[in-house]
Structures are given as C-alpha cells and as structure tokens.
Amino acid sequence: MEFFGAAERKEINDVLETGILFRYNHEAQRNNIYKAREFEAEVAKLVGAQYAHAVSSGSTAVLCALAAAGIGAGDEVIVPPFTYIATVEAVLMAGALPVFADIDDTICLSADGIRKAITPKTKAVCLVHMCGQMADMDAIMAVINEHNLVLVEDAGQAMGASYKGVYTGLWGKTGAYSFDFFKIATAGEGGIMVTNDETAYKHADSYSDHGHDHIGSNRGMEQHPVMGFNYRISELHAAVGLVQTRRVPEIIQNNNRHKKQLMSTLGQVPGVSFARIPDANGDSATFLNLLLPDTETAGRFVAELNAAGVGGFNYWFTNMYHFINQWNHLKDMKTAAALPIEKFGAPQDYHNLDIPNAQAVVGRLVSFGIRATWTSEEVAALAKNIEAAARKATLVEA
C-alpha cells in the first residue's frame, strides 16, 4: 500500500463509530453508513460498469464471476498457464475443468492459443490480464464470438487498465478485480466482480452470501433464489478499498510516467525488449515487463540483479505460484478432498501440455513492480542498475 493516510482513517472511523462491521442490514444503528455500497459505486464509476459487487478477495471475485456467468460442474474453461494460480483454483472450485492454452508476447492468452484449445465441450474462456497490461481484445473477441463462448475476465492484476476505451473486466459476461495488499489499490483483502448484465449481477450478489436476495430489512426472512456460500466483504475492508479506488487515476498517471522513463532508457540496451502492450494508452503500468533474448540470458540477468542487490522484480519462470511448471499439486491432483475434476476426469494431461510460446515467453520475462511514489531520481537509478545487469547478462560491453 503506497498511499495510506487521513482519508482511509476517516472512512474506517466512520465504521468503527457505528460499530456495524457487517455490510447488510442494521439500518437503525449504522447511521446510513454503507461502505461496501460506496466501494462498489466507486469502482463502477471508475471503470464504467453498470454493476459492481464487492467480495472478500480477488480469488472469490473470480469464482463469483464464473458462477454468475453460469460456469459450473463439468464445463471446460480455457485458462492461461501464466497467471496467479487463484484463477485456476476458481475454475476448479466452480466444479469446472481447466483447459490450458498458449499465450503470446502480450503475456496473456492469445487468440491463436484459445482457438487451438477449443473442443466441442468448451463453454468459456477465463482470460487473465497479466502484470498490469491487457490482452489483445480485438483478436480474442473475434474467436469468442465465432465459437459462441462465454468470456470471464480475471483482471486482478490489471484493475484500471483498458483496451480502446473499454476497461478490462467489461469485455465479457463478467469480470473480477483484486484489492489484496499487492495490487494497484488495496482493501487489505477484497475483490470486486463487475458486469453489465443485470441477471449476472443478481446471481453474484446472492451467490456470495448464502443465496440471500437482500430484499427487505429483515435478514432472517429474505428469500434464497440460488444456492451460495459466504464470500462477503466487511465494512472495514470496504472502507479502505473505497478510498484506494479514488486514488487509482493518480497512481496510474504516476506509474505510466515512471514506466515510460524506464522504457526510454532500457530500450537502448541491446538484447532487451518489452512485452507487447496492445493499447499503451490503457496500460495501468503496475509492472515493467522486460523480455531478454532467451531463458538462459534471463537466468543470468536475474543472477546479476541479485548480485548487485537490485530488488523489486519477479522471474515468473521459476515463481512457485504464477507459472504452471511449478504447479505439481495441480498436475498430480493433490487435494484435501476430492474435486469434481477428479470425478469427471481432467480434459488434458497437465504434465504434458503443448504451450511452446508460454515456455519461451515466460522464460524470457522479468517484471519489475512500479511504484507511484518514486521520484524521477529513483527511477533513473533503477534504470541504471537494470541496464548494468542486462549488459552483463547479454555479454554486451557497457
């Protein structure tokens, strides 16, 4: 959390003064304080969504997005092999069957990758917008529409990013954002499901709270139009998320300024390129995504960064939670209790996937987190350190 101050404290104190930490009911005691509602309205306004529903995490937002889009037991859902594993977990928890498809240099699923992974059983694509960027939506939507697939977007890492004026999360039936501690805006823990579909919104609203329809002022007498579970957000978390959402435009502006400064310097270094940004004007710029010539060079680059004490980066190829190479618990289906996929059968051999672009691109990818609070001098110093490590790694004389 880069920005935290009086505004967040004020919203939290509003909740503490009423003593009502629960987001629903208690109308007499709460003095018209409804932070979850305000949080939802703020996110909807920011991204232009007709409906936004706050839940307990980005992970549960993805699960709610899948359920609200009608994705459930036995449905094949195309997913990327490069994502935080929560995306795949959400598909599994919905009872659906993940089908891994290839990515491209946008570091997101590619249209070609999706097309090659489609089978007669494919119902949906759960598209992830990775590392603050966005997927190539024109190409992907052509495939979605051609095959009449349901699109659910996990924009957990790309809240505030857009493609040709449409925000991530709003291209498909439903979308999801994360507000955990490490995202562009945080609620500590929290997530938002967004949609322009009223029925999907109502399903998410009920699904995330034991099926309650939230009509009337007596919780014990509410109707239950669908089955659900508890993915509610608290008023305290929502209070923080509300203020943080208001800060997003400034954060994105600062991030982009710093990212452009870094790219201007590092773009001159032989052997260094960048992940393709389909719409640079819509970049949330939370990450600088560098591509080295090959996996071996990337490994040397990481070693040089570590030797020089340069931090704040991720080498996703060996990261335990963001790339399928390390997901042995998924490949071996190690579960605490049997999942539907173990009854239906996995649609692929997860040990032997044909995803050559993912192996090549993620092997070359090193991402640096960008901080909105950096000074220009700090950005220049970081660029110098990255450049030195890159030149050593690519064996180019400085």
Side-chain angles (χ1 to χ4, degrees):
M1 184 185 294
E2 295 190 68
F3 297 98
F4 187 89
E8 283 84 357
R9 292 186 183 91
K10 186 266 179 191
E11 299 292 337
I12 292 170
N13 283 333
D14 282 351
V15 177
L16 294 178
E17 286 172 6
T18 68
I20 306 301
L21 279 59
F22 190 66
R23 70 160 297 175
Y24 297 113
N25 305 111
H26 303 281
E27 288 82 3
Q29 298 99 322
R30 68 192 311 137
N31 194 28
N32 206 34
I33 300 295
Y34 292 92
K35 297 304 178 187
R37 290 182 187 176
E38 289 188 69
F39 180 29
E40 291 160 348
E42 198 69 34
V43 172
K45 182 175 73 173
L46 176 70
V47 303
Q50 290 186 39
Y51 305 98
H53 181 62
V55 290
S56 56
S57 69
S59 304
T60 56
V62 178
L63 181 52
C64 286
L66 288 164
I71 307 305
D75 293 334
E76 287 192 5
V77 180
I78 292 173
V79 297
F82 177 44
T83 175
Y84 185 57
I85 196 169
T87 310
V88 182
E89 290 170 337
V91 171
L92 291 170
M93 296 305 159
L97 312 177
V99 174
F100 290 94
D102 216 347
I103 67 172
D104 60 16
D105 59 352
T106 66
I107 62 178
C108 304
L109 281 173
S110 68
D112 285 344
I114 293 170
R115 187 178 285 108
K116 290 176 182 176
I118 293 171
T119 76
K121 297 181 181 179
T122 304
K123 182 167 182 179
V125 175
C126 190
L127 173 66
V128 182
H129 301 280
M130 281 298 289
C131 298
Q133 302 190 173
M134 74 299 294
D136 187 346
M137 294 311 301
D138 280 344
I140 287 173
M141 290 308 298
V143 178
I144 295 291
N145 293 330
E146 177 187 347
H147 293 272
N148 196 30
L149 300 177
V150 177
L151 176 62
V152 175
E153 294 170 82
D154 178 351
Q157 295 190 4
M159 203 275 283
S162 62
Y163 178 86
K164 296 186 177 179
V166 177
Y167 280 84
T168 56
L170 293 174
W171 285 86
K173 182 88 164 181
T174 55
Y177 306 131
S178 174
F179 283 78
D180 77 14
F181 188 71
F182 304 100
K183 298 303 188 290
I184 189 169
T186 183
E189 290 285 359
I192 292 274
M193 193 283 307
V194 291
T195 185
N196 289 327
D197 185 294
E198 183 179 13
T199 299
Y201 165 70
K202 287 181 176 178
H203 280 159
D205 180 55
S206 293
Y207 178 78
S208 62
D209 184 23
H210 304 291
H212 280 265
D213 66 3
H214 304 124
I215 296 173
S217 58
N218 185 343
R219 182 170 174 81
M221 294 303 294
E222 290 178 9
Q223 298 298 310
H224 301 91
V226 298
M227 292 289 295
F229 200 57
N230 178 12
Y231 303 120
R232 293 186 305 264
I233 193 170
S234 78
E235 285 286 277
L236 286 174
H237 288 94
V240 178
L242 165 62
V243 182
Q244 287 279 300
T245 301
R246 291 172 179 158
R247 298 186 187 276
V248 167
E250 178 187 1
I251 293 172
I252 289 178
Q253 184 178 44
N254 290 355
N255 284 352
N256 272 278
R257 183 172 66 252
H258 299 154
K259 185 170 182 175
K260 285 179 172 63
Q261 185 179 345
L262 289 166
M263 291 178 72
S264 176
T265 298
L266 298 172
Q268 309 303 314
V269 180
V272 172
S273 60
F274 307 100
R276 178 165 61 91
I277 308 171
D279 182 357
N281 292 326
D283 190 8
S284 73
T286 52
F287 284 93
L288 171 71
N289 298 302
L290 297 180
L291 292 174
L292 282 299
D294 50 50
T295 300
E296 293 72 21
T297 307
R300 291 197 300 270
F301 178 51
V302 169
E304 292 291 348
L305 291 168
N306 286 328
V310 181
F313 66 88
N314 286 288
Y315 183 45
W316 307 110
F317 194 63
T318 57
N319 181 285
M320 294 301 292
Y321 280 90
H322 288 79
F323 192 47
I324 197 167
N325 286 8
Q326 281 65 251
W327 296 346
N328 290 329
H329 59 322
L330 169 72
K331 296 174 186 178
D332 298 331
M333 206 51 64
K334 297 178 180 177
T335 57
L339 293 170
I341 191 172
E342 296 175 76
K343 307 297 183 182
F344 287 109
Q348 293 172 306
D349 177 0
Y350 295 148
H351 285 278
N352 295 287
L353 295 171
D354 183 22
I355 47 171
N357 290 334
Q359 296 294 344
V361 171
V362 180
R364 299 166 54 209
L365 176 66
V366 180
S367 300
F368 288 81
I370 293 177
R371 296 187 64 83
T373 51
W374 278 337
T375 64
S376 180
E377 291 74 22
E378 288 172 325
V379 177
L382 176 61
K384 183 177 180 181
N385 289 334
I386 295 173
E387 178 181 0
R391 288 187 181 276
K392 289 180 181 180
T394 55
L395 304 179
V396 177
E397 291 295 328

